[in-house]
Structure formats: structure tokens, C-alpha cells
Amino acid sequence: MNLAINSRDAMPGGGNLSIRTYRAILTEEKAARLEVAPGSYACLVVSDTGLGMSQEVQAQMFEPFFSTKRRGRGTGLGLSTVYGIVAQSRGAIWVESAPGRGTAVTVLLPTAKGLPLPESRPPVELASGRAGATLLLVEDEEAVRRMAVRALSDGGFRVLQAASGQEALALPPESRDVIDLLITDVVMPGMDGTELAACLIDHCPDLRVLFVSGYPTEILRERQAVLPSSVRFLNKPFTPRALVAAVHGILDEPASTGGPGRRALLDSSPLG
């Protein structure tokens, strides 16, 4: 979706967007050049006939918060999220582009082993005593937020939601006082998730926290948003089932081990 949106924005006067898939078998020699393991890969090519990019822009295009769009048209997180998903999947991504000649982005993802899936999966059951727990979900991507709210509500939880850290802190005190678990994206414009968690834990020391992010650990370290080992972390993209299971896992822990502690969060925050 992010690649398609970028192609659309690169063709303000119209043009052609092409999405192509095929299977590729990488030999050891080809795999070494791409710094991946040899074997079978699914290949996705998203190309357009748009404005194209210079070599200077291509060198920075996957960096978080880098954008060539005018102010208010983008966060600079779309392509870095794509890069994070590819990196987490142990795949490869490269770009072919030139000013005035369009852009083609190629993604290689290792194919699954073909293990049979069970015919049906039993639903995740609510742990005793956890039905009706109150969760605060903070996520700036609307589509992800909608999916997460639906999954958690279906799981029997009461869900408060916010699109930013500032919006979360603006909730009435009576709402913040009843929160059992904070679920927050790590990298968000304005206030990041670690800073938000530190602010809320300052008010409620026993608050439990689940961080989510589409960035691999390496990128989080580069942005100095290193997460202490005592907090819980869920990688994007995640399934509704995985989110609900992660929430149950945290809420089922003894209270003494649920929260990461204010000092740990402050130490982990780039603003701490």
C-alpha cells in the first residue's frame, strides 16, 4: 500500500502503476550479492511512470522521517516501514529510478515452507478475571488502529483509543485512572511511545505497557528508542489473534512483573 501511494504521488499528471509478482530462485552467488539466504523467494515489483528520483534521493529514501513531499502530505515513515517489514522477513529490496523516467521498487520475500495449517484455530479464551479490562491503544495509523480496536473489543476488552501521544494525555483523568494496559506504537510524530509511557507511568506506577512497531530493532536503536528487556514488544505487522494473545500474556502476569518501571522507560526514551 505504501509503495502504491508513493507511485500515485509521483504521478501528479497521471500515469501507469504496475504491480507484478513472480517466483524467483536465488543461487548462492545471487543471494550473496543481495545479502540474503539462497532459495525460493516471492518477488513483488511496484513500478510507475512518474517523476522518478535522483541518486541523492534514492540514497535516503528508506530513512525514517525522510520525505520529498511538501509539508503536511507525508510523515516520511511509509518507505522506512516497507524496509522494516522486508528486513524482519529476511528479504531484500532495491530501487531502479531516474528523474523523468519513473521508478520500480523490487521486493524479495522468502517463501513459506509449505507446512500444513490446522483446519480451524480455537478462539483465544479470556483469562479468568481479565474480562472487561480497560486498554488504552495509541496508534497514529488509522487502519491499524481500527483493526486493533475491533480485535480487542471482540476479545472482551474495553478499549480507549488515541491517534497520538498528545491525544492520549488529553484524555480525562477519570479515564486514565482505570487503564490496565497501555498499547502504543513506538515511533510516532510529535511524542514517541516511550515518552508517552513514561508520562502515564509517572501518574500510575503499576501501569503495564505493550509496545508495537513496524521497525526492526536495528532501526529503533538508530533512533535511540531502545526498549529495555523488561517491557513487552510486538512486531508489526501482527494478526488480530497475535495482538489479543500478547495482551492476555501481559495481563496474566503477576502485578509485580507487569510494569517496566518509570526509570527504565525514561532511560529508554530519546527525551529521557
Side-chain angles (χ1 to χ4, degrees), residues 16-176:
N16 295 323
L17 167 65
S18 300
I19 300 175
R20 184 164 59 100
T21 61
Y22 61 92
R23 183 178 178 183
I25 305 296
L26 296 189
T27 63
E28 291 191 7
E29 180 181 354
K30 290 181 179 179
R33 289 203 300 265
L34 295 171
E35 298 182 348
V36 296
S40 175
Y41 285 79
C43 185
L44 168 70
V45 183
V46 178
S47 58
D48 61 63
T49 57
L51 300 173
M53 294 180 287
S54 66
Q55 291 295 324
E56 292 76 15
V57 171
Q58 292 180 55
Q60 303 177 75
M61 62 182 293
F62 294 122
E63 295 178 5
F65 301 104
F66 174 78
S67 178
T68 59
K69 300 175 184 177
R70 68 176 184 269
R71 190 175 183 86
R73 285 298 302 273
T75 62
L77 294 174
L79 288 178
S80 59
T81 298
V82 172
Y83 179 86
I85 293 171
V86 174
Q88 288 171 12
S89 302
R90 295 183 174 87
I93 182 169
W94 69 89
V95 180
E96 298 170 272
S97 184
R101 301 185 62 180
T103 299
V105 180
T106 301
V107 174
L108 285 178
L109 298 173
T111 56
K113 300 297 184 182
L115 296 177
L117 295 175
E119 292 185 2
S120 62
R121 293 182 177 182
V124 176
E125 296 182 0
L126 283 172
S128 59
R130 292 305 176 190
T134 300
L135 316 177
L136 172 57
L137 172 71
V138 186
E139 169 59 61
D140 60 313
E141 293 187 43
E142 184 180 357
V144 176
R145 190 170 66 252
R146 285 202 308 267
M147 179 273 288
V149 168
R150 186 182 307 113
L152 295 169
S153 298
D154 290 346
F157 298 108
R158 175 173 177 256
V159 185
L160 306 176
Q161 58 177 301
S164 67
Q166 294 90 334
E167 186 176 318
L169 293 178
L171 289 172
E174 58 268 24
S175 296
R176 297 200 304 266

Side-chain angles (χ1 to χ4, degrees), residues 165-249:
Q166 294 90 334
E167 186 176 318
L169 293 178
L171 289 172
E174 58 268 24
S175 296
R176 297 200 304 266
D177 289 343
V178 299
I179 297 170
D180 297 296
L181 171 66
L182 167 67
I183 306 171
T184 178
D185 197 359
V186 177
V187 180
M188 297 183 292
M191 174 183 289
D192 68 34
T194 55
E195 184 184 8
L196 169 64
C199 291
L200 292 177
I201 286 174
D202 199 26
H203 177 73
C204 182
D206 294 329
L207 180 67
R208 302 168 190 239
V209 180
L210 173 64
F211 286 116
V212 298
S213 180
Y215 297 99
T217 306
E218 292 76 10
I219 291 182
L220 294 178
R221 287 199 184 101
E222 290 173 4
R223 296 200 67 250
Q224 298 180 352
V226 182
L227 305 179
S229 58
S230 55
V231 307
R232 299 296 178 264
F233 181 76
L234 181 65
N235 279 108
K236 293 180 182 177
F238 51 78
T239 64
R241 180 183 176 84
L243 175 62
V244 173
V247 170
H248 284 306

